[in-house]
Amino acid sequence: MEQQPDDRESFTAWATTRRPRLLRTATFLTGDRGRAEDLVQEALTKVAQRWPRLRDGSPDAYARQILVRDNISWWRRNRLELVSDVPDPGRTAPGDTGVERRLLLLDALRRLTERQRAVLVLRYFDDLSEAEIALVLGVSAGTVKSTAHLALRRLRELAPELSDLLSLETS
Amino acid sequence: MTDSALRDLFHDAAPSLDGPGPAAIDRAWRDGTRRRVGARVAVVGSVAATVAVVTGVALVGGSDGRVAPDPSVDAPTSTPTPPVTGPPVAEQVGKYAGADVWWAPSVTDESSLPPLSVAQLPPVVDLDAAQEEAVGEPVVGLFSGRGERAFALTASQRVIEIDTSRLETLTDEAGNRRNPLSSYSLSADRQSAFFIQKSSLEVLDFVTGEWTTIDTPDWLAEEARWMMPDQIWLPSRLGDDSGGTIHPVGPGVTTTATIDWVRGWSGPDDQPWGPVVFGRGGTAQAAFAGLDLVSPTRFAAPEVIFVDQRGERSVLAFDRGPGEEGTRVKGCCIPRAWIDEDTVLFSSVSTEGQRILAWDVGTPTVHLVSDIRGPASLTALADLS
């Protein structure tokens, strides 16, 4: 577990590759760019703190776990003054149905519970399996499955225009 | 459409982000390294303070497929060092089932523990000074007294005696009288609590002051747990901790559900009991331990708290004391909440009174957080992590 001379180098290489993705995940989770950057910074710091143990293991999984759990903790502490921004959906021209669908998705995501949103983001953006999501959230795979089902159902209610995308079958 | 179409939409909707990556990564490395070094200094200091007066940890074997003790590891072999002046600390005494085992400071040392300020918890929770009035805000802790008496510590640190006059006297199936609060009574959003009745749950919304009744089969309410801020789970039968039904608080339909609740860890001869406290740091649960800690001054088979931090296991063991002043009661020490990923809060009840203490898991550091005074016991604490 001792620090090796190349630890900083290997951490920097890992973080440089992963930070943009983590930032996108965190922006989905929080709906707020500034808070996403704070979340990612804290996650990277915690990974750095444990790098001698994590470097040969799963730093990605640990970083995602910190992102999701810190976000839920933040929300619990601040739920009475929760303010969310919808991230910029992109630069496509107005009237583009693609833009409308992105806005619908982001707006609907914002209205889910933190855990529901986390399950969908980890599944459909980060492409994690149910077992991997369960590890991140600290719940069983069964709970992930039922949460995903509820989240998709809620998403259908909030954004019926996207119902063609929102199959309730979760596999 | 398929999953892949939704995945595509997520990827299309992902924001394009540019930012000061290298500077942020440098800062993360510096801060992370600083924290790591700080933690190591604390551990080194603790080892120096450990006096190897404990003769060893007799490991209890088992072959039933549960967690097996590691017979290859035993008590620490570091050279004993003279005790150093300073606050009481936990002493590392060996390993059990692969976990580091620590003796908690004695009851008489608790009042000398270094204080730890936790934003949501005052240094003294004086239940004698509780006012009987509307709660009107989220609640951090619940306390149960004799009969149906119940107290709340609010988010703004008011101490309130809850009006429970609508509740009936409660006995368990064996006829033993009990308080209607359980360790699982407080909702995760801290806005509600359920009170157990023989054939119902009575749910109080602290913010609005409204009560909601959920009818239940007889006795099953004893093992209720919150699922969501507006859903409560009941087992199908007492002792079944997975199969059950989910009841909405308010309008809605009851559904059946199998829930794999998060579990703590324990060794083959341990008797875990009480709530599994789950938070950012991992899990923690009390147990009557099968491990046989042999010591000239301490009882064998102590009460313990088993902690699992994402696979890193630790045990905090509690000596009952000499049997007179400075004696812990049976079931003395129960984990209550995590305040961050490294620190678990637990309650300690003894002839000296009730306290909330904090253990920096895997280190000798134990803090005094709150003294609890008055006619009730801490029963539930919000997750503070």
Side-chain angles (χ1 to χ4, degrees):
Chain A
M1 295 299 173
E2 286 304 306
Q3 185 168 335
Q4 295 179 353
D6 63 346
D7 272 351
R8 179 170 190 155
E9 200 175 311
S10 59
F11 171 79
T12 301
W14 171 83
T16 302
T17 308
R18 300 297 195 278
R19 185 176 179 274
R21 179 79 176 205
L22 290 171
L23 208 46
R24 288 182 174 86
T25 299
T27 306
F28 271 127
L29 293 175
T30 62
D32 180 276
R33 170 72 187 269
R35 200 152 63 77
E37 288 189 346
D38 290 346
L39 266 184
V40 170
Q41 191 62 28
E42 180 61 15
L44 292 180
T45 301
K46 286 176 176 170
V47 171
Q49 183 182 352
R50 289 164 176 75
W51 188 249
R53 278 188 289 183
L54 287 173
R55 65 182 170 223
D56 299 322
S58 305
D60 292 32
Y62 183 71
R64 271 194 295 264
Q65 195 173 54
I66 297 297
L67 278 190
V68 171
R69 295 187 183 183
D70 279 4
N71 182 51
I72 290 174
S73 297
W74 183 94
W75 176 82
R76 283 177 180 159
R77 287 193 301 271
N78 298 277
R79 63 195 171 280
L80 295 179
E81 47 184 321
L82 184 63
V83 176
S84 265
D85 297 332
V86 178
D88 176 10
R91 296 193 178 85
T92 315
D96 186 298
T97 56
V99 170
E100 288 168 6
R101 289 166 84 83
R102 289 174 221 160
L103 280 173
L104 281 169
L105 175 68
L106 294 170
D107 188 51
L109 280 177
R110 190 168 56 85
R111 295 162 195 266
L112 300 180
T113 67
E114 299 300 310
R115 179 165 292 183
Q116 288 172 344
R117 189 185 313 133
V119 166
L120 294 188
V121 170
L122 293 173
R123 178 182 173 132
Y124 293 106
F125 181 66
D126 284 314
D127 293 327
L128 300 192
S129 67
E130 280 174 355
E132 290 168 325
I133 297 170
L135 193 63
V136 170
L137 292 172
V139 300
S140 69
T143 301
V144 170
K145 195 179 182 72
S146 59
T147 304
H149 185 82
L150 286 171
L152 288 173
R153 192 170 70 188
R154 180 82 178 124
L155 218 52
R156 284 173 74 101
E157 293 166 3
L158 293 167
E161 301 89 340
L162 300 179
S163 58
D164 57 329
L165 303 182
L166 305 173
S167 161
L168 291 182
E169 292 302 319
T170 57
S171 57
Chain B
M1 286 287 187
T2 63
D3 272 7
S4 67
L6 188 52
R7 284 194 169 85
D8 289 344
L9 183 58
F10 264 87
H11 285 273
D12 289 344
S16 56
L17 298 168
D18 300 311
I25 291 166
D26 274 353
R27 195 168 74 249
W29 178 257
R30 282 198 312 274
D31 291 348
T33 304
R34 197 175 297 129
R35 288 185 198 177
R36 190 190 321 145
V37 171
R40 189 178 300 152
V41 167
V43 171
V44 169
S46 77
V47 171
T50 300
V51 183
V53 294
V54 176
T55 56
V57 179
L59 298 167
V60 181
S63 57
D64 58 356
R66 298 173 71 186
V67 177
D70 177 358
S72 65
V73 189
D74 209 320
T77 55
S78 57
T79 306
T81 55
V84 295
T85 304
V89 293
E91 297 173 20
Q92 188 175 6
V93 290
K95 288 208 175 238
Y96 172 68
D100 288 331
V101 179
W102 301 76
W103 273 118
S106 69
V107 167
T108 49
D109 280 340
E110 285 183 354
S111 60
S112 304
L113 290 169
L116 177 66
S117 177
V118 175
Q120 297 90 338
L121 300 173
V124 175
V125 180
D126 187 358
L127 300 170
D128 284 323
Q131 302 292 312
E132 188 166 337
E133 58 187 1
V135 179
E137 60 175 318
V139 161
V140 173
L142 291 171
F143 303 80
S144 51
R146 293 179 70 86
E148 289 73 52
R149 292 188 77 181
F151 299 81
L153 173 66
T154 72
S156 65
Q157 300 194 354
R158 291 185 301 141
V159 179
I160 293 171
E161 179 159 11
I162 299 170
D163 178 5
T164 56
S165 55
R166 67 182 278 128
L167 302 179
E168 295 178 357
T169 299
L170 178 64
T171 58
D172 64 19
E173 204 167 9
N176 304 305
R177 191 164 177 188
R178 57 158 294 172
N179 187 276
L181 285 173
S182 85
S183 301
Y184 294 108
S185 278
L186 184 60
S187 66
D189 67 359
R190 310 179 188 181
Q191 304 220 24
S192 304
F194 63 70
F195 294 77
I196 299 163
Q197 295 285 266
K198 178 186 172 187
S199 308
S200 71
L201 285 166
E202 302 295 319
V203 184
L204 172 61
D205 183 319
F206 293 123
V207 178
T208 66
E210 292 177 358
W211 289 84
T212 303
T213 299
I214 298 174
D215 292 325
T216 69
D218 285 356
W219 315 117
L220 293 186
E222 284 182 23
E223 295 181 357
R225 301 188 191 197
W226 287 95
M227 274 285 297
M228 298 281 181
D230 58 354
Q231 293 178 336
I232 297 175
W233 175 89
L234 288 180
S236 300
R237 60 181 183 279
L238 289 178
D240 182 349
D241 62 357
S242 57
T245 51
I246 298 173
H247 299 256
V249 180
V253 294
T254 298
T255 54
T256 58
T258 300
I259 309 294
D260 293 330
W261 297 104
V262 173
R263 297 166 191 264
W265 75 276
S266 59
D269 294 313
D270 305 321
Q271 299 173 49
W273 67 281
V276 177
V277 175
F278 174 67
R280 190 145 58 110
T283 63
Q285 186 176 27
F288 296 104
L291 78 164
D292 192 10
L293 282 172
V294 182
S295 158
T297 58
R298 290 166 168 144
F299 294 109
E303 294 191 28
V304 300
I305 292 176
F306 287 122
V307 181
D308 188 334
Q309 289 180 291
R310 292 176 292 278
E312 288 187 36
R313 294 170 169 177
S314 307
V315 182
L316 187 62
F318 299 89
D319 181 29
R320 291 285 298 279
E324 41 202 37
E325 288 302 307
T327 299
R328 290 189 165 104
V329 304
K330 187 176 181 183
C332 63
C333 306
I334 305 174
R336 296 298 185 180
W338 290 85
I339 54 174
D340 56 38
E341 64 180 11
D342 297 314
T343 310
V344 66
L345 297 183
F346 61 95
S347 53
S348 170
V349 183
S350 69
T351 54
E352 305 290 298
Q354 291 183 69
R355 298 184 175 101
I356 300 174
L357 307 180
W359 183 36
D360 292 346
V361 176
T363 80
T365 306
V366 179
H367 296 277
L368 173 59
V369 176
S370 299
D371 273 304
I372 301 170
R373 299 171 189 164
S377 305
L378 178 63
T379 303
L381 203 58
D383 176 25
L384 304 175
S385 65

